[in-house]
Amino acid sequence: MMSSVLRPGVFSPYYQVTKQGVKSLMFPGAKELLPAAAGTRLAHTDIKIPDFSDYRRPEVLDPQKSSQESTESRKAFSYLMTGATTVIGVYAAKTVVTQFVSSMSASADVLALSKIEIKLSDIPEGKNMTFKWRGKPLFVRHRTEKEIATEAGVNLGELRDPQHDKDRVLNPKWIIVLGVCTHLGCVPIANAGDYGGYYCPCHGSHYDSSGRIRKGPAPLNLEVPYYEFPDEETVIVG
């Protein structure tokens, strides 16, 4: 059986039928196949060759002239264009970033609420007054000479959060701190506690009149916000 399959003569009639069928489909009515045109090439002399002279630099238009003679000038021009483009790109990026950051900054009304002006003459010596600033209690204490001397003489080695009194005040007479306990955020009581400063009754944290933690679970001193004295009678916090 294999010998009959391998014999080409067995399929010769089918090859002939296929050949005739393809001939009749490609060239209806033709008796013979037309000569193959696949190998024929045309000159296409009507196609215009593009001219890129307008895009070339004048120094390299002459084919008889070496381009090496104009290398330096062409490099200088390339460097100049690259540098100018870089500078323009940097300034454009800076402008975009500045505008983006400015759009995210606080508005004028929000900035106005971020500061508080306090008249110091309203606070008697030895007393503490509480103000609301940025949604938090703000303690402003008018200290006596005795309190100033006591806090200045404290041994820093005894403090959990060592900080000298002079580093926490701009004017020794005034101590300004946020009334938020550094333990769990409770509000301490002024003029109370074992050290006569501030006392948090929630968990028993004792602060001195400089706002430094002296006893109890609080890990840090009371926070001192940014403030300034425009004159002797006024303080601006924020």
Side-chain angles (χ1 to χ4, degrees), residues 176-204:
I176 302 175
V177 294
L178 292 181
V180 179
C181 181
T182 58
H183 180 221
L184 292 177
C186 306
V187 179
I189 300 173
N191 299 318
D194 294 349
Y195 298 87
Y198 306 95
Y199 171 66
C200 181
C202 299
H203 303 93

Side-chain angles (χ1 to χ4, degrees), residues 5-46:
V5 172
L6 295 176
R7 291 177 184 175
V10 178
F11 298 99
S12 296
Y14 301 103
Y15 294 154
Q16 295 176 0
V17 172
T18 303
K19 181 177 180 182
Q20 294 295 330
V22 172
K23 182 197 301 184
S24 62
L25 289 174
M26 295 180 61
F27 308 100
K31 295 182 179 180
E32 294 182 0
L33 289 173
L34 294 176
T40 304
R41 301 185 64 182
L42 302 179
H44 298 294
T45 56
D46 59 333

Side-chain angles (χ1 to χ4, degrees), residues 93-195:
K94 178 183 177 182
T95 302
V96 172
V97 172
T98 302
Q99 293 294 333
F100 178 73
V101 173
S102 299
S103 65
M104 299 180 64
S105 61
S107 58
D109 56 342
V110 174
L111 292 176
L113 294 175
S114 65
K115 295 185 177 182
I116 181 174
E117 182 175 329
I118 300 173
K119 190 176 181 181
L120 298 176
S121 58
D122 294 337
I123 306 175
E125 185 177 7
K127 299 297 182 180
N128 180 91
M129 290 190 67
T130 304
F131 301 88
K132 185 178 181 180
W133 177 67
R134 295 183 181 180
K136 299 178 182 179
L138 179 70
F139 293 161
V140 180
R141 186 187 187 96
H142 190 176
R143 301 193 297 184
T144 63
E145 294 295 335
K146 181 180 179 180
E147 289 175 332
I148 296 173
T150 300
E151 303 307 332
V154 173
N155 182 8
L156 298 183
E158 301 176 356
L159 300 178
R160 181 177 305 166
D161 184 11
Q163 196 173 18
H164 200 280
D165 180 68
K166 65 181 181 180
D167 297 330
R168 295 177 55 80
V169 296
L170 296 180
N171 185 338
K173 293 183 178 180
W174 301 97
I175 177 68
I176 302 175
V177 294
L178 292 181
V180 179
C181 181
T182 58
H183 180 221
L184 292 177
C186 306
V187 179
I189 300 173
N191 299 318
D194 294 349
Y195 298 87

